[in-house]
Structure formats: structure tokens, C-alpha cells
Amino acid sequence: IGTAFCATKECPWPQSFKDRVVSAQETDTVLMFRQLHNTARVFRNKVAEEVEAIQNEKGADLDFSDVAHLVAGDRGRKAEKAGDPDAGIWTAGQVVGLINDVPTVQ
């Protein structure tokens, strides 16, 4: 339900992020960090696909340092500030495929 609340008029998220959620399908998420036993589901974007490629290449030999520069919280905050949904990772549930508009919570 967190993803749905992010796609509301009241959420301070940039409109570009909300637009990406509205246009998404339920397959537009990626599971990352499985090899590290700290699985997270994130929105499929350029950075998430880069992390996914590194994870696939490294397999069981993946170390967090291999992807830390891509998944750093500071990078995600800068992406949000810039309104660039492709510049950092952001968590999202499969519910993205069921969100069709940006409603109010009222």
C-alpha cells in the first residue's frame, strides 16, 4: 500500500515519479540483494537494471561493494530532488500495475 500512497496528490514525490508509477505494469519491479540475503523490490529503471546486470554477472560472489555506489541513499535522494526517476533506485511493490491515476487521499 506504500507505493499507492506515493502516487497521491498529497505525496511530495516529484510528478515524474508518479507518472512512471501510473504507466507501470506489475512486471516493472526488480528484486535485488537476494544473494546478500536482504531482498528488496524496487522499480525497474536504468539504475535497477544496472544493478540487476551486476548481480547476474557476479552471482553468489556478489558483494555489496559491487553495487553500493548505485544503490546509495544519497543517490536516490538526489534523483528525487532532480525529478529523475531513472537516476537512483526507489522501492515499489507489484501494486504499480494496479495504479491508474494520481488520486487524493481525502
Side-chain angles (χ1 to χ4, degrees):
I1 194 155
T3 305
F5 277 120
C6 288
T8 62
K9 288 181 170 56
E10 291 80 5
C11 179
W13 237 13
Q15 188 62 43
S16 56
F17 281 62
K18 295 175 186 182
D19 292 343
R20 287 289 289 275
V21 168
V22 170
S23 67
Q25 299 176 12
E26 67 273 3
T27 56
D28 287 330
T29 62
V30 177
L31 291 174
M32 58 176 51
F33 309 140
R34 288 182 117 179
Q35 295 98 315
L36 303 174
H37 305 289
N38 191 22
T39 305
R41 183 177 298 278
V42 301
F43 194 87
R44 180 178 296 282
N45 63 11
K46 292 177 184 175
V47 175
E49 288 176 348
E50 193 173 342
V51 171
E52 187 176 43
I54 293 168
Q55 292 180 141
N56 290 340
E57 177 187 320
K58 296 277 186 172
D61 294 328
L62 179 73
D63 187 79
F64 184 71
S65 63
D66 297 325
V67 295
H69 64 288
L70 296 169
V71 301
D74 186 52
R75 181 179 179 142
R77 283 186 293 281
K78 286 179 183 173
E80 190 174 327
K81 236 181 189 172
D84 186 351
D86 278 310
I89 63 163
W90 38 289
T91 58
Q94 289 176 298
V95 71
V96 296
L98 300 175
I99 298 171
N100 300 313
D101 61 354
V102 179
T104 181
V105 294
Q106 306 224 354

